[in-house]
Amino acid sequence: MTRKLGIALLPWPEHTRAAVRLQQDLGVGEPLRPVLSEDGNLPHLTVFQGPFDHRLEPGPVLERIAASLSLPAAISLASAGLVHQPSGWLFLSVERPVLLEKLQETVIGLVEPHLDRAAFDTARDRAHFTEAERAGFARYGYRYTGEAYAPHLTLGRTDEETAAALARTGPRHTALPGTWIFDRLSCYAMGEHGAHAETLAVRPLG
């Protein structure tokens, strides 16, 4: 049985609430989906996601990640602003330090044997992908890998014009935290638009 799962970093509770408020503030009049909440679709920073076979065990894989990489108790990342990503996505981009690159490399190395490549969405429109994103998608079923890895918190999806306008004007009307702090690893079941819909396992960093 194939399951669509992700590995993510979860922010401090204070920053979880800040991301929820940010989505609400930006989505006035044109709600962004899926709706983020503290007890539903959690704000998160995806490290990797995709379709996996039934042999991938959420708890043990987080332990293997932690054992394979020396992680601090918390990771502080500077905000890089709002980004419109075709088609219709609004991201809160953050910096990409070497630690995050190593974390993604480690995660992919551990979970790749469980990828169900037959379940890759080959019908997906990739016309707006960069070359690096196409390569990542073809190899792993996830566009943001390797050179194309773009750490971010997804604030939601709407129509293309609205997403582009929010990325331009949002910072004028809404205060963006200067840094985001993450202190947990999560394995989650994907929901609408790849949301962190159900927490299957969680582990403190470090």
Side-chain angles (χ1 to χ4, degrees):
M1 180 181 70
T2 300
R3 298 181 298 170
K4 291 186 176 181
L5 306 177
I7 305 292
L9 291 170
L10 296 181
W12 272 2
E14 177 184 343
H15 288 172
T16 294
R17 291 189 289 272
V20 170
R21 288 194 302 270
L22 181 59
Q23 186 197 50
Q24 293 170 345
D25 291 345
L26 290 169
V28 172
E30 292 286 347
L32 295 163
R33 296 195 59 84
V35 176
L36 301 176
S37 72
E38 293 181 73
D39 54 4
N41 295 319
L42 286 175
H44 65 285
L45 189 156
T46 297
V47 179
F48 185 75
Q49 64 182 30
F52 293 98
D53 63 37
H54 68 280
R55 295 174 297 134
L56 182 67
E57 299 179 75
V61 78
L62 295 187
E63 293 301 325
R64 291 175 65 198
I65 293 167
S68 301
L69 190 64
S70 179
L71 294 169
I75 298 175
S76 178
L77 300 173
S79 173
L82 296 178
V83 174
H84 160 235
Q85 180 75 2
S87 53
W89 295 97
L90 185 66
F91 290 169
L92 177 66
S93 182
V94 296
E95 64 178 321
R96 191 181 86 171
V98 172
L99 177 60
L100 281 194
E101 296 173 1
K102 290 185 178 297
L103 176 58
Q104 189 186 66
E105 289 173 6
T106 299
V107 169
I108 291 175
L110 291 171
V111 304
E112 186 177 6
H114 298 291
L115 276 173
D116 183 354
R117 287 184 162 78
F120 286 4
D121 184 10
T122 54
R124 182 174 179 180
D125 180 10
R126 298 185 289 278
H128 53 276
F129 284 21
T130 66
E131 285 302 316
E133 289 170 353
R134 289 192 188 98
F137 189 84
R139 183 172 181 183
Y140 301 117
Y142 182 55
R143 66 195 281 194
Y144 303 114
T145 58
E147 179 187 335
Y149 185 39
H152 63 274
L153 289 90
T154 300
L155 294 176
R157 197 174 192 186
T158 181
D159 64 87
E160 193 77 349
E161 183 178 349
T162 300
L166 287 174
R168 288 194 309 271
T169 65
R172 299 181 211 157
H173 309 294
T174 308
L176 300 178
T179 59
W180 296 84
I181 299 176
F182 302 84
D183 62 353
R184 290 160 292 157
L185 274 171
S186 168
C187 181
Y188 63 95
M190 293 165 58
E192 179 188 9
H193 297 316
H196 191 297
E198 180 185 359
T199 304
L200 302 178
V202 66
R203 185 196 191 282
L205 290 181

